[in-house]
Amino acid sequence: MTEPRAHSPIAPPSPEAAALAQERLAGLATPPGALGRVGEVGAWLAAAQGEVPPRPLTDVRLVVLAGDHGVAAHAVSAYPAAVTEAMVRTIVAGRAGVSALAAEHGVAVSVVDVAVDADLSDLPATVTARKVRRGSGAIHLTDALSRGEAERSLRLGAELAGELVDGGAQLLMTGDLGIGNTTVAAALVAAMLGLPADEVTGRGTGVDDAGWARKRDVVAQALARTGHLGHGGGADPVAVLTALGSADLAATTGFLVECSRRGAPVVLDGLMSLACAVVAEALAPGASAWWLAGHRSTEPAQAHALKSLGLDPLLDLDMRLGEGSGAVAALPVLRSGIAVLRDVALLSEVLPGRPGPSGPSASAP
């Protein structure tokens, strides 16, 4: 499978299909702009598919990449690290929060143990066979990974993406699972964008003021420890993942890059997927044209990541569950965007003689 390479630009979704979709949207028997973001999403999907109107979404896949984080032992979360293992098992059993949403909206969910600090060998090989390591280093004290582990994790994510695209997935989603992961993701965003710890640290699973202060201090120490990497626009993305990331977040980064290389649209979830998206865009400029932000989380680092990528979330529901739940919750909006481009009459059909698009459907080259 293709390994993500720095500074390898990504071609955008079809400009021809985008133009045709906008023409069709403007020609619908609705007031101009009345469909708002719903129409925009439909046009984005048409460009991603290279077909106007876009095809219905019948094969949507969510991959939840799970891993533990060394910072979880330093009182940065309201929950113990053992919850990671328990929630992997709950997703496998189909009983997690995201499981209920996915069942409602027709999304196939898989979970992959990338770096859970537990023995999950009793679970199916589809869950356990790709494990990189058990847990990651506490980033304020040591590097999260070795450079080799970071590169291996990037390749793992790319392989997963390739397999899903080859298997017929029309739309992909990223999900996360791991106690302590909002601390690590906040540090990644801060390092990649050159921000201080105070501006990126949120409350994660719901820590109190003292817990927030501890979490902020861990992020600040991690940034101070790794200042030699050159935080901000000049940072080496793989070096930042090695020092401040984790195997599961590196795998998510590789997943996002490969999806964009393959021309596969992705709906991002909350902070973790957006933190990885910032790194992925640095690895492969232009990749973000293939991503849509599903929802706005309550984490401040996500807001900074969204701004840096120029993404505007579809939903704002105060969600902070993770697992890909916000991305799945946004799926009905995407399907609505397809429906209006496929099924709403053209004004030229309602009022013969009025100008309209050249035809009811078209495929871009």
Side-chain angles (χ1 to χ4, degrees), residues 34-58:
L35 289 166
R37 295 291 305 281
V38 172
E40 293 173 9
V41 166
W44 179 78
L45 285 165
Q49 293 181 5
E51 186 173 326
V52 182
R55 298 182 303 279
L57 293 173
T58 58

Side-chain angles (χ1 to χ4, degrees), residues 86-364:
M87 288 311 302
V88 169
R89 296 181 180 279
T90 304
I91 290 177
V92 171
R95 299 295 305 279
V98 74
S99 308
L101 291 170
E104 179 67 22
H105 299 305
V107 177
V109 180
S110 58
V111 58
V112 177
D113 171 11
V114 182
V116 178
D117 190 14
D119 180 4
L120 299 177
S121 58
D122 59 305
L123 294 180
T126 53
V127 178
T128 61
R130 303 179 193 257
K131 194 175 189 118
V132 173
R133 57 178 283 170
R134 286 183 58 150
S136 299
I139 59 172
H140 61 311
L141 303 175
T142 187
D143 283 353
L145 308 166
S146 69
R147 178 84 181 202
E149 288 168 336
E151 292 173 347
R152 178 182 169 192
S153 300
L154 285 164
R155 288 193 297 271
L156 163 58
E159 289 166 2
L160 284 169
E163 290 168 8
L164 290 172
V165 173
D166 289 344
Q170 298 169 288
L171 181 73
L172 296 163
M173 299 175 173
T174 58
D176 61 87
L177 186 59
I179 296 300
N181 60 8
T182 60
T183 303
V184 171
L188 278 179
V189 171
M192 293 301 299
L193 301 182
L195 297 169
D198 279 352
E199 291 190 23
V200 297
T201 304
R203 295 186 181 270
T205 50
V207 294
D208 59 16
D209 289 348
W212 179 88
R214 288 192 298 271
K215 184 175 179 180
R216 184 269 323 275
D217 290 346
V218 165
V219 174
Q221 291 171 40
L223 295 173
R225 184 187 69 79
T226 59
H228 62 284
L229 295 177
H231 297 160
D236 169 8
V238 181
V240 172
L241 283 172
T242 299
L244 295 173
S246 62
D248 50 303
L249 295 186
T252 302
T253 303
F255 183 91
L256 292 175
V257 171
E258 186 67 10
C259 285
S260 297
R261 290 194 193 285
R262 295 291 198 102
V266 178
V267 182
L268 304 173
D269 188 39
L271 170 57
M272 272 55 68
S273 62
L274 263 296
C276 296
V278 170
V279 183
E281 175 68 16
L283 279 167
S288 59
W290 291 93
W291 309 330
L292 191 73
H295 80 117
R296 189 181 304 279
S297 82
T298 59
E299 289 292 305
Q302 195 220 23
H304 289 290
L306 288 165
K307 182 178 179 181
S308 75
L309 294 168
L311 297 176
D312 186 14
L314 287 176
L315 304 178
D316 189 350
L317 302 173
D318 291 334
M319 293 179 69
R320 54 182 175 85
L321 174 62
E323 303 175 2
S325 56
V328 175
L331 182 58
V333 180
L334 276 74
R335 288 189 165 132
S336 297
I338 291 174
V340 298
L341 281 180
R342 291 183 64 87
D343 300 329
V344 174
L346 298 171
L347 187 59
S348 59
E349 296 169 336
V350 175
L351 298 175
R354 295 292 294 266
S358 55
S361 65
S363 294

